[in-house]
Amino acid sequence: MLLLEAANIRKYYGDRLIIGFDELKIYSGDRIGVTGLNGSGKSTLLDILYGGLEPDEGFVRRYCEVGYIRQFGMEENDIRQLQAEAFGAAMKLLGEFEIGGKLDRPALSGGEETRLKIAGAFSRDNVLLFADEPTSNLDYKGIELFRQKLEKVESFVMISHDRSLLDALCNRIWEVKDGGIRIFNGNYSFYREQCEAEKERAAAEYEKYVAEKTALEQAISNRKRRAGKVRRAPSRMGNSEARLHKRQASESQEKLHNAANNLLTRLDKLEVKEKPKEQPAIRLDFSLTDPPENKIVISADRLSFSYGNVPVFKNAGFRIANGLKTALWGENGTGKTTLLNLIYAAGCDMIRGTQPFDEAVMSAARCISIVPKARLAYFRQTFENLDPGKTVLENVMKDSVQNETTARTILARLLLPGDDVFKKVAVLSGGEKIKVSFAKLFVSKANVLLLDEPTNYLDMQSIEALEGVLKDYEGTVLFVSHDRAFVRAVADRLLVTGGLTVRTFEGGPDEYEESIKIADEARNRELEKTLLQMRITEVVTKLSLQTSDKEALEEEFRRLTKQLRELEKTN
């Protein structure tokens, strides 16, 4: 069934075409993921399809009820409406998203607001759901709950940089690029495979073009050279022979020139193929950071910290191995960012207090040991380390220990190539400023990077570019991220926060959750064994009393002992 159609859509901001397409249709069962660079017009597209924004040209027709989970803040009226609905059908959902008791608070956190928007959208009977970065500010538990809810929605259009989510739920991908839309049937991995196949075809076509062009140019050069070597008639040759020789030479030259001209025509008509862009290789001289040689660069044994009367860590311990990428993994509120702050405070205290922290933080931070040659740099999305009046390159080179060529290579890898490095930081988008901040860290004297949610507000291509740079980075990295695909691609190991402690897990998030599942199953089997043994003991006691229902008890005894044997076989 057709749910929505749009035709001849054009939307401009000033003279710039943001979105333009001739036809777009959404049918029942379409589960669409939208991808594209920051600023490519993804949110504009959803606003037009939903009806919150009028196109400059064209029309949209909706044939069903439509819901919308917006990326950015909620209007006060929207919150009041959801609060009212909370006492009706939405109350169960609000409880599942763990915000049922928080609606009367004057302000909600980013994660709580996201959960409220999601609960509100799922509580209504919408046939078609639009969602713009619906998992922003959610921890992995909230993302998983959202995934389970969206899995039950038949038709949706979702902008997301969460590749795991797009892979798990979507059957079509819309790529928004250069004002247009390309449609791929399949999930995100299929879309990426198609893009890689296109790159390979483009590379093969370029190689074929270069080979054909080189062959034509060489053939033209050979024809011209041969034409120039046609010999004149010898002086001792008679007039009639000389005329014959001259005529033959002229004919030969004419043939060679004609052949050369034909080849030139073929060369002029040869379709030019552009050379596919390749990722530049980073040659970072990491020795310039004077890296530590210790196996462990950061450690703690009895770390305790509280926010007022609310404990976050109690006698927690951890080790950060040199040269590895470690992800902090856990639910919201378990202390991931707090731990980054404490480690950074410990590093600042080590160099005689270059950054002010309150006494509670410094007291806890002194339980953290950092080796002397470790130099920490902390990425937070505040941009205080950028000078808006200076260019991208000037900002990056200010404290760089690497040369300009290396700095520009890293910027190019982070999708700020060529003349983009001469833009003033003041004119950059938020995502571009994040990339400049990253580049500053990579070329600085730091050899230990602390990153707090580095993929927030980056588009998919930029996230994948950051992955590549981090994989090539030789230093130690400790980062917080709820982007499962990013953690899976970058992290060598996990530090898992929760229960006032920090646990080390050698593996990625998938392996960790599988280990939790196995442990839960083992605990359930042990509990079941205990209950069976208790019941068997009870039955044996009753049998010893020579009760009248002995036959039934013996049958139950046989059944219980068989269950116990089968359960023990699974251990």
Side-chain angles (χ1 to χ4, degrees), residues 168-210:
L169 298 177
C170 294
N171 56 28
R172 302 179 81 191
I173 298 293
W174 290 352
E175 180 191 55
V176 182
K177 185 177 181 181
D178 299 328
I181 300 171
R182 292 204 304 164
I183 298 175
F184 297 80
N185 291 317
N187 63 9
Y188 182 77
S189 289
F190 176 79
Y191 156 73
R192 290 299 299 152
E193 288 169 8
Q194 294 297 105
C195 291
E196 289 302 315
E198 286 180 6
K199 286 182 182 178
E200 290 175 6
R201 284 195 297 271
E205 288 175 1
Y206 177 74
E207 289 176 7
K208 181 181 177 183
Y209 160 73
V210 169

Side-chain angles (χ1 to χ4, degrees), residues 292-294 296-298 350 369-375:
E293 297 177 0
N294 312 66
I296 302 297
V297 293
I298 304 172
M350 186 176 68
S369 299
I370 301 176
V371 299
K373 293 176 80 174
R375 295 190 179 98

Side-chain angles (χ1 to χ4, degrees), residues 337 340 378-381 450-455 478-480:
T337 298
L340 285 185
Y378 193 0
F379 168 78
R380 290 170 288 194
Q381 295 167 13
L450 309 178
L451 311 177
D452 191 9
E453 292 288 0
T455 63
L478 178 64
F479 67 97
V480 175

Side-chain angles (χ1 to χ4, degrees), residues 216-404:
L216 286 172
E217 288 174 339
Q218 190 173 1
I220 292 166
S221 178
N222 289 340
R223 299 298 192 281
K224 288 182 177 179
R225 188 170 60 253
R226 286 170 57 191
K229 287 183 177 181
V230 174
R231 294 177 61 187
R232 295 182 179 182
S235 57
R236 65 178 181 275
M237 189 178 286
N239 290 337
S240 61
E241 290 178 312
R243 283 195 296 272
L244 178 61
H245 180 87
K246 184 177 180 181
R247 185 169 65 252
Q248 289 174 339
S250 296
E251 289 173 354
S252 180
Q253 280 185 325
E254 185 178 358
K255 287 180 180 178
L256 289 168
H257 282 305
N258 287 339
N261 288 334
N262 288 336
L263 291 169
L264 278 168
T265 300
R266 283 177 59 189
L267 183 61
D268 289 339
K269 290 183 177 179
L270 190 64
E271 184 181 356
V272 176
K273 299 290 185 181
E274 295 294 330
K275 183 178 182 180
K277 294 180 181 178
E278 297 179 356
Q279 289 279 26
I282 295 175
R283 293 178 176 84
L284 198 70
D285 186 355
F286 198 65
S287 66
L288 296 174
T289 69
D290 191 21
E293 297 177 0
N294 312 66
K295 289 185 178 180
I296 302 297
V297 293
I298 304 172
S299 62
D301 287 315
R302 298 183 62 81
L303 174 66
S304 296
F305 181 74
S306 301
Y307 285 114
N309 296 323
V310 180
V312 181
F313 299 114
K314 185 175 181 180
N315 295 327
F318 62 89
R319 303 285 184 274
I320 305 295
N322 193 1
L324 294 186
K325 282 82 175 177
T326 303
L328 279 165
W329 191 252
E331 297 177 24
N332 284 347
T334 56
K336 299 183 299 297
T337 298
T338 298
L339 187 56
L340 285 185
N341 290 334
L342 292 173
I343 291 171
Y344 187 59
C348 291
D349 189 50
M350 186 176 68
I351 53 176
R352 294 186 297 279
T354 57
Q355 176 80 25
F357 295 94
D358 65 43
E359 184 52 40
V361 170
M362 293 313 306
S363 176
R366 292 185 185 109
C367 297
I368 298 172
S369 299
I370 301 176
V371 299
K373 293 176 80 174
R375 295 190 179 98
L376 276 57
Y378 193 0
F379 168 78
R380 290 170 288 194
Q381 295 167 13
T382 54
F383 311 130
E384 72 266 14
N385 64 336
L386 301 182
D387 184 340
K390 293 187 181 298
T391 67
V392 168
L393 189 59
E394 286 171 337
N395 269 276
V396 172
M397 291 303 298
K398 181 182 177 185
D399 300 310
S400 176
V401 298
Q402 307 292 332
N403 60 39
E404 184 177 317

